[in-house]
Coordinates of all heavy atoms in Angstrom, one line a residue:
A5 N 40.7 57.6 -68.8 CA 40.9 59.1 -69.2 C 39.8 59.9 -68.6 O 38.8 59.5 -68.3 CB 40.8 59.2 -70.7
A6 N 40.2 61.1 -68.2 CA 39.3 62.1 -67.8 C 39.7 63.5 -67.9 O 41.0 63.7 -68.1 CB 39.1 61.9 -66.3
D7 N 38.9 64.5 -68.2 CA 39.3 65.8 -68.5 C 39.4 66.6 -67.2 O 38.5 67.3 -66.8 CB 38.3 66.5 -69.5 CG 38.6 67.9 -69.9 OD1 39.8 68.3 -69.7 OD2 37.7 68.6 -70.3
I8 N 40.6 66.4 -66.6 CA 40.9 67.1 -65.3 C 42.3 67.8 -65.4 O 43.1 67.4 -66.3 CB 40.9 66.1 -64.2 CG1 41.9 65.0 -64.3 CG2 39.6 65.5 -63.9 CD1 42.0 64.0 -63.2
T9 N 42.5 68.8 -64.7 CA 43.6 69.7 -64.8 C 44.3 69.9 -63.5 O 43.7 70.0 -62.3 CB 43.2 71.1 -65.4 OG1 42.6 70.8 -66.6 CG2 44.5 71.9 -65.6
R10 N 45.5 70.0 -63.5 CA 46.3 70.1 -62.3 C 46.0 71.5 -61.5 O 45.9 72.6 -62.1 CB 47.8 70.2 -62.6 CG 48.8 70.3 -61.5 CD 50.3 70.4 -62.1 NE 51.3 70.5 -61.0 CZ 52.0 69.5 -60.6 NH1 51.7 68.3 -60.8 NH2 52.8 69.9 -59.5
N11 N 45.6 71.3 -60.2 CA 45.4 72.6 -59.3 C 44.0 73.3 -59.8 O 43.9 74.4 -59.6 CB 46.5 73.5 -59.2 CG 47.4 73.1 -58.1 OD1 47.1 72.3 -57.2 ND2 48.7 73.4 -58.2
E12 N 43.1 72.5 -60.5 CA 41.8 73.2 -60.9 C 40.8 72.2 -60.3 O 40.8 70.9 -60.3 CB 41.7 73.2 -62.4 CG 42.7 74.2 -62.9 CD 42.3 75.6 -62.7 OE1 41.2 75.9 -62.3 OE2 43.2 76.6 -62.8
W13 N 39.7 72.7 -59.9 CA 38.7 72.0 -59.3 C 37.9 71.1 -60.2 O 37.8 71.5 -61.4 CB 37.5 72.9 -58.6 CG 37.9 73.5 -57.3 CD1 38.2 74.8 -57.0 CD2 38.0 72.9 -56.0 NE1 38.4 75.1 -55.7 CE2 38.4 73.8 -55.1 CE3 37.9 71.5 -55.6 CZ2 38.6 73.5 -53.7 CZ3 38.1 71.2 -54.4 CH2 38.5 72.3 -53.3
F14 N 37.6 69.8 -60.0 CA 36.8 68.9 -60.7 C 35.8 68.2 -59.8 O 36.1 68.0 -58.6 CB 37.6 68.1 -61.7 CG 38.4 67.1 -60.9 CD1 37.9 65.8 -60.6 CD2 39.7 67.3 -60.5 CE1 38.6 64.8 -59.9 CE2 40.5 66.4 -59.8 CZ 39.9 65.1 -59.5
H15 N 34.8 67.8 -60.4 CA 33.7 67.1 -59.6 C 33.9 65.6 -59.9 O 34.0 65.2 -61.0 CB 32.3 67.6 -60.0 CG 31.3 67.0 -59.1 ND1 31.0 67.4 -57.9 CD2 30.3 66.0 -59.4 CE1 30.0 66.7 -57.3 NE2 29.6 65.8 -58.1
A16 N 33.8 64.8 -58.8 CA 33.9 63.4 -59.0 C 32.6 62.7 -58.4 O 32.2 63.1 -57.2 CB 35.2 62.9 -58.4
T17 N 32.1 61.7 -59.0 CA 31.2 60.8 -58.4 C 31.6 59.4 -58.4 O 32.0 59.0 -59.5 CB 29.8 61.0 -59.4 OG1 29.4 62.4 -59.4 CG2 28.7 60.1 -58.7
I18 N 31.5 58.8 -57.3 CA 32.0 57.5 -57.2 C 30.9 56.6 -56.8 O 30.3 56.8 -55.7 CB 33.1 57.3 -56.2 CG1 34.3 58.3 -56.6 CG2 33.6 55.9 -56.0 CD1 35.2 58.5 -55.5
E19 N 30.5 55.5 -57.6 CA 29.4 54.7 -57.3 C 29.8 53.3 -57.2 O 30.6 52.7 -58.0 CB 28.3 54.7 -58.4 CG 27.1 54.0 -58.1 CD 26.1 54.2 -59.3 OE1 25.5 55.3 -59.3 OE2 25.9 53.2 -60.0
V20 N 29.6 52.5 -56.0 CA 30.0 51.3 -55.7 C 28.8 50.4 -55.4 O 27.9 50.7 -54.6 CB 30.9 51.2 -54.5 CG1 31.3 49.7 -54.1 CG2 32.2 51.9 -54.9
R21 N 28.6 49.3 -56.1 CA 27.6 48.4 -56.0 C 28.2 46.9 -55.9 O 28.7 46.5 -57.0 CB 26.4 48.3 -57.1 CG 25.6 49.6 -57.0 CD 24.6 49.6 -58.1 NE 23.8 50.8 -58.3 CZ 22.7 51.0 -57.7 NH1 22.1 50.1 -57.0 NH2 22.0 52.2 -57.9
G22 N 28.3 46.3 -54.7 CA 29.1 45.1 -54.7 C 30.4 45.2 -55.0 O 31.2 46.0 -54.5
N23 N 30.9 44.5 -56.1 CA 32.3 44.6 -56.6 C 32.5 45.5 -57.8 O 33.4 45.5 -58.5 CB 33.0 43.3 -56.8 CG 32.3 42.5 -57.8 OD1 31.3 42.9 -58.3 ND2 32.9 41.3 -58.2
H24 N 31.4 46.3 -58.1 CA 31.3 47.1 -59.4 C 31.5 48.5 -59.0 O 30.8 49.0 -58.1 CB 29.9 46.9 -60.0 CG 29.6 47.4 -61.3 ND1 28.6 47.5 -62.0 CD2 30.7 48.0 -62.2 CE1 28.7 48.1 -63.2 NE2 29.9 48.3 -63.3
L25 N 32.5 49.1 -59.7 CA 32.9 50.5 -59.4 C 32.7 51.3 -60.7 O 33.2 51.0 -61.8 CB 34.3 50.5 -59.0 CG 34.9 52.0 -59.0 CD1 34.3 52.9 -57.9 CD2 36.5 51.8 -58.8
K26 N 31.9 52.5 -60.7 CA 31.8 53.5 -61.6 C 32.3 54.8 -61.1 O 32.1 55.2 -60.0 CB 30.3 53.6 -62.1 CG 29.7 52.4 -62.8 CD 28.3 52.7 -63.3 CE 27.7 51.5 -64.0 NZ 26.4 51.8 -64.4
V27 N 33.0 55.5 -62.0 CA 33.6 56.8 -61.6 C 33.1 57.8 -62.8 O 33.4 57.5 -64.0 CB 35.1 56.8 -61.5 CG1 35.6 58.2 -61.1 CG2 35.5 55.7 -60.5
F28 N 32.5 58.9 -62.4 CA 32.2 59.9 -63.3 C 32.9 61.2 -62.9 O 33.1 61.5 -61.7 CB 30.7 60.1 -63.2 CG 29.8 59.0 -63.3 CD1 29.6 58.1 -62.3 CD2 29.1 58.7 -64.6 CE1 28.7 57.0 -62.5 CE2 28.3 57.7 -64.7 CZ 28.0 56.8 -63.7
T29 N 33.3 61.9 -63.9 CA 34.0 63.2 -63.6 C 33.2 64.4 -64.2 O 32.7 64.2 -65.3 CB 35.5 63.3 -64.1 OG1 35.5 63.0 -65.4 CG2 36.3 62.3 -63.3
N30 N 33.1 65.5 -63.5 CA 32.5 66.7 -64.0 C 31.0 66.4 -64.6 O 30.6 67.0 -65.7 CB 33.4 67.4 -65.2 CG 34.6 67.8 -64.6 OD1 34.8 68.3 -63.5 ND2 35.7 67.5 -65.4
K31 N 30.4 65.6 -63.8 CA 28.9 65.3 -64.1 C 28.7 64.7 -65.6 O 27.6 64.9 -66.1 CB 28.1 66.6 -63.9 CG 28.3 67.1 -62.5 CD 27.2 68.2 -62.2 CE 27.4 68.8 -60.9 NZ 27.1 67.8 -59.7
N32 N 29.7 64.0 -66.0 CA 29.4 63.4 -67.3 C 28.3 62.3 -67.2 O 28.4 61.5 -66.2 CB 30.7 62.6 -67.8 CG 31.9 63.6 -68.2 OD1 31.5 64.6 -68.6 ND2 33.1 63.2 -68.1
P33 N 27.4 62.1 -68.2 CA 26.4 61.1 -68.0 C 27.0 59.7 -68.1 O 26.3 58.8 -67.7 CB 25.4 61.5 -69.2 CG 26.3 62.2 -70.1 CD 27.2 63.0 -69.3
K34 N 28.1 59.5 -68.9 CA 28.7 58.2 -69.0 C 29.9 58.1 -68.1 O 30.7 59.1 -67.9 CB 29.1 57.9 -70.5 CG 27.9 57.7 -71.4 CD 28.4 57.5 -72.7 CE 27.2 57.3 -73.8 NZ 27.7 56.9 -75.1
P35 N 30.1 57.0 -67.4 CA 31.2 56.9 -66.6 C 32.6 56.9 -67.3 O 32.8 56.4 -68.3 CB 31.0 55.5 -65.8 CG 30.2 54.7 -66.9 CD 29.4 55.7 -67.5
N36 N 33.5 57.6 -66.6 CA 34.9 57.5 -67.1 C 35.5 56.1 -66.9 O 36.4 55.6 -67.7 CB 35.7 58.6 -66.4 CG 35.3 60.0 -66.7 OD1 34.4 60.5 -66.1 ND2 35.9 60.6 -67.7
M37 N 35.3 55.6 -65.8 CA 35.7 54.2 -65.3 C 34.6 53.3 -65.0 O 33.6 53.8 -64.3 CB 36.7 54.3 -64.2 CG 37.2 53.0 -63.7 SD 38.4 53.2 -62.4 CE 39.8 53.5 -63.3
D38 N 34.6 52.1 -65.5 CA 33.4 51.1 -65.1 C 34.1 49.8 -65.1 O 34.4 49.2 -66.1 CB 32.4 51.2 -66.3 CG 31.2 50.4 -66.0 OD1 31.2 49.6 -65.0 OD2 30.1 50.6 -66.7
I39 N 34.4 49.3 -63.9 CA 35.2 48.2 -63.7 C 34.6 47.2 -62.6 O 33.8 47.6 -61.8 CB 36.7 48.5 -63.3 CG1 36.7 49.3 -62.0 CG2 37.4 49.3 -64.4 CD1 38.1 49.4 -61.3
T40 N 35.2 46.0 -62.6 CA 34.9 45.0 -61.5 C 36.2 45.1 -60.6 O 37.3 45.0 -61.1 CB 34.8 43.6 -62.0 OG1 33.6 43.6 -62.9 CG2 34.6 42.6 -60.9

């Protein structure tokens, strides 16, 4: 889940370390997605 809206700007941060993926939206301190 993420608080994003159709045709509105949002900020995304994508962090990849090895096979680990974290995704943050709108500068949230906790990742919206944290997966292998």
